[in-house]
């Protein structure tokens, strides 16, 4: 349940937030929830305080892996998959049972949200690398604050979720997965 604090940020009332209250999560770009969850999981599950994360590019720069080793054994394996090609490859591996990740951060746009359609593009539809770099610099200048230290998140837990370990937290912010029996249907999506 280490990703719980990130699950309900959309419920915050933005009219209560002043300009000085704007903060971001760990990460250098619009992605970065992976970084926060990885560091939190390392600390909560294995007692390890991870300061810096090293991404290892796999097939391309938009499919990367982050691992945590303890006593010579890989105990956490996270991935970042950006762009539909990488998402499709990830789904295929998952179907084949060859997917070894504990957590995957998925973004539809290659390069992350700041590089999304309608964002940093020239008139001919190509990425405007200079503008993208400038947006990343502005984003990186926003102060980092852990979600669990945010007063709005704490207030949400107290007022709406009835405490950190309440039944409402379990029902609202946690998901259980189970196998679904496949049925023959023309609506099945073939990746």
């Amino acid at each position: 349940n280490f990703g719980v604090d990130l699950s309900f940020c959309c419920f915050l009332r933005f009219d209560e937030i002043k300009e000085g209250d704007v903060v971001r999560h760990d990460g250098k770009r619009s992605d970065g929830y992976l970084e926060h969850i990885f560091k939190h999981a390392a600390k909560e599950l294995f007692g390890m305080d991870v300061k810096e994360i090293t991404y290892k590019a796999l097939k391309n720069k938009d499919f990367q892996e982050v691992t945590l080793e303890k006593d010579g054994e890989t105990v956490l394996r996270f991935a970042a998959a950006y762009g539909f090609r990488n998402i499709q490859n990830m789904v295929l591996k998952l179907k084949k049972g060859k997917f070894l990740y504990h957590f995957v951060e998925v973004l539809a746009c290659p390069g992350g949200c700041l590089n999304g359609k309608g964002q940093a593009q020239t008139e001919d539809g190509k990425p405007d690398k200079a503008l993208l770099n400038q947006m990343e610099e502005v984003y990186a200048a926003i102060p980092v604050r852990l979600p669990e230290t945010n007063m709005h998140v704490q207030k949400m837990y107290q007022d709406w979720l009835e405490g950190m370990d309440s039944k409402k937290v379990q029902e609202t912010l946690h998901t259980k997965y189970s196998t679904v029996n496949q049925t023959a249907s023309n609506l099945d999506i073939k990746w």
Side-chain angles (χ1 to χ4, degrees):
N1 76 18
F2 47 83
V4 170
D5 294 319
L6 305 174
S7 301
F8 61 90
C9 61
C10 60
F11 296 114
L12 296 176
R13 289 188 47 194
F14 291 107
D15 61 338
E16 296 175 2
I17 298 175
K18 298 178 277 322
E19 185 175 337
D21 291 339
V22 176
V23 295
R24 66 178 176 90
H25 49 72
D26 284 332
K28 296 167 185 67
R29 303 183 334 197
S30 57
D31 52 348
Y33 282 115
L34 178 147
E35 259 188 64
H36 172 72
I37 295 169
F38 186 86
K39 289 176 180 179
H40 192 78
K43 187 169 191 80
E44 292 293 315
L45 299 174
F46 303 104
M48 298 175 71
D49 194 16
V50 176
K51 296 289 183 201
E52 192 69 31
I53 290 183
T54 303
Y55 287 86
K56 176 184 169 189
L58 298 177
K59 292 189 177 226
N60 56 62
K61 68 179 178 63
D62 284 324
F63 192 82
Q64 299 183 23
E65 179 181 78
V66 177
T67 59
L68 178 70
E69 290 189 14
K70 184 174 184 177
D71 302 325
E73 179 185 349
T74 300
V75 292
L76 282 181
R77 186 180 306 268
F78 283 24
Y82 306 149
F84 285 113
R85 178 183 57 177
N86 290 315
I87 295 169
Q88 287 175 335
N89 288 334
M90 181 187 65
V91 170
L92 287 173
K93 285 181 181 183
L94 189 59
K95 283 183 170 183
K96 292 178 183 178
K98 297 180 181 181
F99 203 70
L100 308 172
Y101 297 103
H102 298 104
F103 176 89
V104 178
E105 180 173 69
V106 176
L107 295 175
C109 297
C113 298
L114 291 179
N115 196 39
K117 284 292 184 191
Q119 299 295 324
Q121 296 183 358
T122 60
E123 288 183 23
D124 61 356
K126 295 190 174 148
D128 184 339
K129 293 189 188 297
L131 181 57
L132 181 59
N133 287 337
Q134 186 179 4
M135 289 190 314
E136 287 177 357
E137 287 174 15
V138 168
Y139 183 80
I142 298 171
V144 173
R145 181 171 33 180
L146 299 177
E148 56 269 23
T149 64
N150 185 311
M151 69 176 186
H152 298 289
V153 172
Q154 291 174 358
K155 185 169 174 39
M156 182 69 67
Y157 268 104
Q158 267 327 114
D159 297 349
W160 186 65
L161 293 170
E162 302 164 1
M164 295 291 284
D165 296 320
S166 71
K167 184 177 178 183
K168 192 168 184 179
V169 165
Q170 291 297 317
E171 292 170 353
T172 307
L173 302 179
H174 294 260
T175 302
K176 292 189 190 270
Y177 297 95
S178 60
T179 304
V180 177
N181 295 329
Q182 290 190 346
T183 59
S185 167
N186 291 336
L187 300 176
D188 287 344
I189 297 173
K190 301 292 183 199
W191 290 88

